[in-house]
Amino acid sequence: MSDTSEPLHEDTLDYTPPLARSVTLGRRRVARLVAEWGHPALAGDVAVVVSELMGNALLHGSLRDRLIRVRISLTATALRVEVSDPRGERLPCPRPAGATDQFGRGLLLVAALADQWGVEPRGVGKTVYAQWALTFTAAGAGHLAGVKE
Protein backbone atom coordinates (compact mmCIF):
# COMPACT_ATOMS: atom_id res chain seq x y z
CA MET A 1 0.00 0.00 0.00
CA SER A 2 2.91 2.38 -0.47
CA ASP A 3 1.92 5.79 -1.78
CA THR A 4 4.55 7.79 -3.63
CA SER A 5 2.28 10.66 -4.66
CA GLU A 6 2.91 14.22 -3.52
CA PRO A 7 1.52 15.02 -0.04
CA LEU A 8 -1.58 17.18 0.07
CA HIS A 9 -0.79 17.97 3.70
CA GLU A 10 2.25 17.24 5.83
CA ASP A 11 3.45 18.05 9.33
CA THR A 12 6.64 17.16 11.21
CA LEU A 13 7.50 17.97 14.80
CA ASP A 14 10.36 16.87 17.04
CA TYR A 15 9.77 15.95 20.69
CA THR A 16 12.35 15.82 23.44
CA PRO A 17 12.56 12.54 25.35
CA PRO A 18 12.22 11.28 27.98
CA LEU A 19 9.18 13.46 28.62
CA ALA A 20 5.97 11.45 28.87
CA ARG A 21 4.10 14.71 28.19
CA SER A 22 5.41 14.51 24.61
CA VAL A 23 3.08 11.55 23.98
CA THR A 24 0.04 13.59 24.98
CA LEU A 25 1.14 16.55 22.88
CA GLY A 26 1.79 14.36 19.83
CA ARG A 27 -1.51 12.51 20.18
CA ARG A 28 -3.50 15.76 20.40
CA ARG A 29 -1.65 17.35 17.50
CA VAL A 30 -2.22 14.50 15.04
CA ALA A 31 -5.88 14.12 16.04
CA ARG A 32 -6.43 17.83 15.37
CA LEU A 33 -4.58 17.72 12.03
CA VAL A 34 -6.40 14.62 10.77
CA ALA A 35 -9.75 16.27 11.55
CA GLU A 36 -8.67 19.57 9.93
CA TRP A 37 -7.49 17.67 6.85
CA GLY A 38 -10.99 16.26 6.33
CA HIS A 39 -10.92 12.88 8.09
CA PRO A 40 -12.48 13.41 11.53
CA ALA A 41 -13.75 9.81 11.69
CA LEU A 42 -10.15 8.61 11.54
CA ALA A 43 -8.74 11.08 14.10
CA GLY A 44 -9.31 8.85 17.13
CA ASP A 45 -7.61 5.81 15.62
CA VAL A 46 -4.65 7.88 14.45
CA ALA A 47 -4.33 9.44 17.91
CA VAL A 48 -4.22 6.00 19.58
CA VAL A 49 -1.64 4.73 17.09
CA VAL A 50 0.61 7.78 17.54
CA SER A 51 0.30 7.44 21.30
CA GLU A 52 1.41 3.81 21.13
CA LEU A 53 4.27 4.46 18.72
CA MET A 54 5.52 7.46 20.68
CA GLY A 55 5.26 5.52 23.94
CA ASN A 56 7.37 2.75 22.43
CA ALA A 57 9.88 5.28 21.13
CA LEU A 58 10.20 6.84 24.58
CA LEU A 59 10.47 3.50 26.40
CA HIS A 60 12.62 1.57 23.94
CA GLY A 61 14.11 3.95 21.40
CA SER A 62 15.08 7.15 23.13
CA LEU A 63 18.52 8.39 24.03
CA ARG A 64 19.40 11.39 26.17
CA ASP A 65 19.58 14.60 24.16
CA ARG A 66 18.19 12.91 21.00
CA LEU A 67 14.82 13.88 19.58
CA ILE A 68 11.85 11.74 18.62
CA ARG A 69 10.25 12.90 15.38
CA VAL A 70 6.57 12.56 14.51
CA ARG A 71 5.58 13.05 10.89
CA ILE A 72 2.09 12.87 9.47
CA SER A 73 1.23 13.13 5.79
CA LEU A 74 -1.89 12.94 3.69
CA THR A 75 -1.89 12.08 0.00
CA ALA A 76 -4.78 11.42 -2.35
CA THR A 77 -4.76 7.74 -1.40
CA ALA A 78 -3.27 7.40 2.09
CA LEU A 79 -2.80 8.88 5.53
CA ARG A 80 0.54 7.97 7.09
CA VAL A 81 2.07 8.63 10.49
CA GLU A 82 5.72 8.01 11.31
CA VAL A 83 7.58 8.04 14.61
CA SER A 84 11.37 8.10 14.34
CA ASP A 85 13.85 7.48 17.13
CA PRO A 86 17.66 7.07 17.36
CA ARG A 87 17.76 3.37 18.37
CA GLY A 88 17.81 1.44 15.11
CA GLU A 89 18.99 -1.75 16.81
CA ARG A 90 15.84 -1.95 18.97
CA LEU A 91 13.15 -3.05 16.52
CA PRO A 92 9.50 -3.33 17.58
CA CYS A 93 7.92 -6.76 17.60
CA PRO A 94 4.43 -7.72 18.75
CA ARG A 95 4.37 -10.11 21.66
CA PRO A 96 1.61 -11.89 23.52
CA ALA A 97 0.50 -10.23 26.73
CA GLY A 98 -1.02 -12.05 29.66
CA ALA A 99 -4.23 -10.90 31.32
CA THR A 100 -2.32 -9.21 34.13
CA ASP A 101 0.59 -7.81 32.08
CA GLN A 102 0.85 -4.04 32.16
CA PHE A 103 2.64 -3.82 28.80
CA GLY A 104 2.64 -5.74 25.53
CA ARG A 105 -0.54 -4.73 23.72
CA GLY A 106 0.54 -1.54 21.92
CA LEU A 107 1.61 -3.03 18.60
CA LEU A 108 -1.48 -5.26 18.61
CA LEU A 109 -3.56 -2.07 18.82
CA VAL A 110 -1.54 -0.49 16.01
CA ALA A 111 -2.08 -3.56 13.81
CA ALA A 112 -5.81 -3.59 14.59
CA LEU A 113 -6.36 0.12 13.90
CA ALA A 114 -4.10 0.78 10.89
CA ASP A 115 -4.32 -0.84 7.48
CA GLN A 116 -0.56 -1.35 7.46
CA TRP A 117 2.38 -0.76 9.78
CA GLY A 118 6.08 -1.47 9.67
CA VAL A 119 9.63 -0.35 10.37
CA GLU A 120 12.13 1.38 8.08
CA PRO A 121 15.82 1.94 8.84
CA ARG A 122 17.25 5.45 8.87
CA GLY A 123 20.83 6.67 8.68
CA VAL A 124 20.67 6.88 12.46
CA GLY A 125 17.83 5.03 14.12
CA LYS A 126 14.55 3.81 12.71
CA THR A 127 11.10 4.96 11.68
CA VAL A 128 7.99 3.05 12.70
CA TYR A 129 5.02 3.90 10.53
CA ALA A 130 1.30 3.22 10.29
CA GLN A 131 -0.83 3.88 7.25
CA TRP A 132 -4.49 4.03 6.29
CA ALA A 133 -5.82 3.69 2.73
CA LEU A 134 -8.15 6.45 1.53
CA THR A 135 -10.41 6.87 -1.47
CA PHE A 136 -11.93 10.05 -2.83
CA THR A 137 -15.22 10.58 -4.60
CA ALA A 138 -15.47 12.60 -7.80
CA ALA A 139 -16.70 15.55 -5.71
CA GLY A 140 -13.46 15.42 -3.71
CA ALA A 141 -14.92 14.34 -0.38
CA GLY A 142 -12.62 11.87 1.36
CA HIS A 143 -13.77 8.47 2.53
CA LEU A 144 -11.94 5.69 4.30
CA ALA A 145 -11.27 2.75 2.04
CA GLY A 146 -10.94 0.08 4.70
CA VAL A 147 -12.78 1.26 7.79
CA LYS A 148 -12.12 -1.19 10.60
CA GLU A 149 -15.16 -2.04 12.67
Side-chain angles (χ1 to χ4, degrees):
M1 178 169 83
S2 64
D3 181 6
T4 58
S5 59
E6 191 70 28
L8 302 171
H9 298 284
E10 185 173 27
D11 182 75
T12 302
L13 193 63
D14 293 333
Y15 295 87
T16 305
L19 301 176
R21 182 171 181 256
S22 296
V23 176
T24 303
L25 295 172
R27 179 178 61 236
R28 288 179 182 164
R29 183 180 183 92
V30 298
R32 178 181 52 81
L33 290 172
V34 169
E36 286 176 5
W37 295 349
H39 297 282
L42 195 55
D45 287 356
V46 174
V48 169
V49 167
V50 166
S51 183
E52 293 298 333
L53 296 182
M54 285 187 75
N56 282 351
L58 285 172
L59 287 171
H60 308 294
S62 65
L63 292 171
R64 180 176 292 191
D65 299 326
R66 296 298 302 269
L67 300 174
I68 291 173
R69 173 166 289 163
V70 176
R71 179 179 178 271
I72 181 171
S73 63
L74 175 72
T75 67
T77 60
L79 175 71
R80 181 178 171 112
V81 294
E82 301 173 349
V83 177
S84 301
D85 67 58
R87 302 282 306 266
E89 77 282 5
R90 300 200 68 189
L91 299 176
C93 61
R95 62 181 174 91
T100 60
D101 289 344
Q102 183 178 1
F103 299 101
R105 294 173 186 82
L107 291 176
L108 298 175
L109 283 171
V110 171
L113 295 173
D115 293 326
Q116 177 184 359
W117 77 275
V119 183
E120 297 172 342
R122 300 179 56 193
V124 174
K126 67 181 174 298
T127 296
V128 183
Y129 69 89
Q131 194 163 300
W132 291 262
L134 305 174
T135 60
F136 286 83
T137 64
H143 297 282
L144 301 178
V147 176
K148 305 223 179 204
E149 303 202 14

